[in-house]
Amino acid sequence: MSVPEIAPFHAIELSALAHRLAAEGQDIIHMEFGQPSTGAPTKAIERAQHVLATDPMGYWESQALRERIARHYHDTYGVSIRPQQVILTCGASPALVLALLSSLTPGMRVALARPGYVAYRNTLKSLHMVPVEIPCGEKECFQLTARAIEALVPAPDALIIASPANPTGTILPEQEFRAIVRVCRERNIRIISDEIYHGLSYGEPAHSALEYEPEALIVNSFSKYFSMAPWRLGWLIIPEDMIDKARARMGNLFLTPSSLSQHAGLVAFDCSEELEGHLVTYRKNRDLLLQALPQMGLNNIPPPDGAFYVYADIGHLTDNSLIFCEELLRDTGVATAPGIDFDPVNGHKFMRFSFAVSTDRIEEAIARMIPWFSAKTDK
C-alpha cells in the first residue's frame, strides 16, 4: 500500500506569508483562519493560572469535564449520553481521526459535501479511506441533501455531516437533517457529525445528529464558540459499543489532552455571558461584511447561517483563487482563504472570509478591499 498524496492546506501557506509581511512592517488583518481573535474566557484563564501555580499536573482525563459535557447535551439538545461516551481529545482534529479509526477500516468509502473542510478529505486519504465528495451548489445552499445521499451507488460506509458548515456557514434545515438520517439508517451508513460550530448561529440554532440518531459519532471542540483554539481541547461522543475500541486508540495515539486545558475548559462552560458577547460581535461583523461585499462586486454568496465565514464567488474576477488571495494579501494586508482548499473542482473561483475578528478590523478590511476589488472589476 503506497503512501497517499495529500494536498497542502493553502490557507496555512498564505498565513505564513501574512506573518512574514507583518514581520516586515505591513499591517495584516487575519481573516484566513477560522479562529476567534478573542482569548479564552476570563474565568477560565484565572482557573488555569491557579492550576499552573499549585498543581504539577500530568496525564489525566477530567471526569468532571466529561460529566459537564454530557449535561450540556441534555440541556441543549434534550439527549441523554453517559459521561463514559465522552472522550476528551487534543482538539477536533484528533477527535475526527479517532472517530474514523474506531468505526471504519482502510478502503471504506466516506461521503462528504463539496465544498467542505479541507482536512476531511485529506484525513480520509491519510487513513487509506476513500472520500466520496458530493457536489453541493447554490441550489442546495451548499449543503448535503437526503436525495443526493440516496443516489450514491454503492452506498458509502459513512457520511460526514457539518452543520454549520465550513466554508459556507450554512445550516441544515431540521427536516432535511431528519431525512438524511433516515436515508443513512435505511442504507446502513454510519454518521459522523462535526458540530464544532455549534453555538454560533444567527437564526435558528443548529441541531445535533444525536437528536435523530443515537448511534452517531459527534466531533466537537472548545476552539470556536469557547474561543479556545490554541488550548487544543475537544471531544468525541462515541456509541456505547465502541467505547473500549475508541479509548484504546486514544490512549495509544494521543495519550490525553492537556491537563491545563481541561481545567480551563470546565470553567469555560459557565462563561456564557462573555461567550454570547462574542456572538454579538460576530453577528455585527457578518452584517457589515454582507452589506459591503456587493460594493466589491461579490453578490453570489450562500447565506452564512452560522459559524463565522462568508464564501464568495469570484469567478468573474479570476480562475485562480490562490493567486487572487495572495495578491489581495500583498496589496491590502487582508489575509483570506482560497476556495481550492475546500473544493478541488470548483474552488478556483471562490474565496472565504472569516469574520471572527474585532469589528474595527472588519471595518478596516472593508475600507481596504472596496477600492481594490473595484479596480479589479473595472479592468
Side-chain angles (χ1 to χ4, degrees), residues 354-376:
S354 169
F355 51 84
V357 295
S358 62
T359 299
D360 65 306
R361 297 305 273 168
I362 287 289
E363 292 171 337
E364 175 62 24
I366 289 170
R368 296 181 192 181
M369 290 192 295
I370 286 178
W372 189 87
F373 273 89
S374 296
K376 289 284 185 182

Side-chain angles (χ1 to χ4, degrees), residues 32-96:
E32 74 273 33
F33 284 154
Q35 61 179 20
S37 60
T38 51
T42 302
K43 291 186 181 301
I45 293 174
E46 291 174 354
R47 175 60 182 164
Q49 290 171 333
H50 174 76
V51 171
L52 273 175
T54 60
D55 187 343
M57 294 179 283
Y59 298 130
W60 174 64
E61 187 181 18
S62 170
Q63 177 64 17
L65 181 54
R66 291 164 61 192
E67 291 173 355
R68 184 64 182 85
I69 290 171
R71 178 156 63 89
H72 167 73
Y73 278 84
H74 179 270
D75 295 345
T76 305
Y77 307 106
V79 298
S80 295
I81 59 170
R82 297 171 62 220
Q84 289 85 342
Q85 291 177 253
V86 179
I87 301 179
L88 301 176
T89 63
C90 313
S93 297
L96 176 63

Side-chain angles (χ1 to χ4, degrees), residues 28 125 193 212 285 287:
I28 302 298
K125 289 181 178 179
S193 182
Y212 319 120
N285 293 352
D287 293 345

Side-chain angles (χ1 to χ4, degrees), residues 9 12 89-101 117-120 123-124 127 192 194 196 219-224 229 232-236 250 253-254:
F9 197 158
I12 293 177
T89 63
C90 313
S93 297
L96 176 63
V97 171
L98 199 60
L100 294 169
L101 289 178
Y117 180 46
V118 57
Y120 298 153
T123 299
L124 288 167
L127 298 176
I192 299 172
D194 182 352
I196 191 172
V219 172
N220 210 323
S221 168
F222 283 84
S223 294
K224 311 302 182 181
R232 307 315 304 137
L233 181 62
W235 68 85
L236 172 68
M250 176 65 195
L253 292 174
F254 307 112

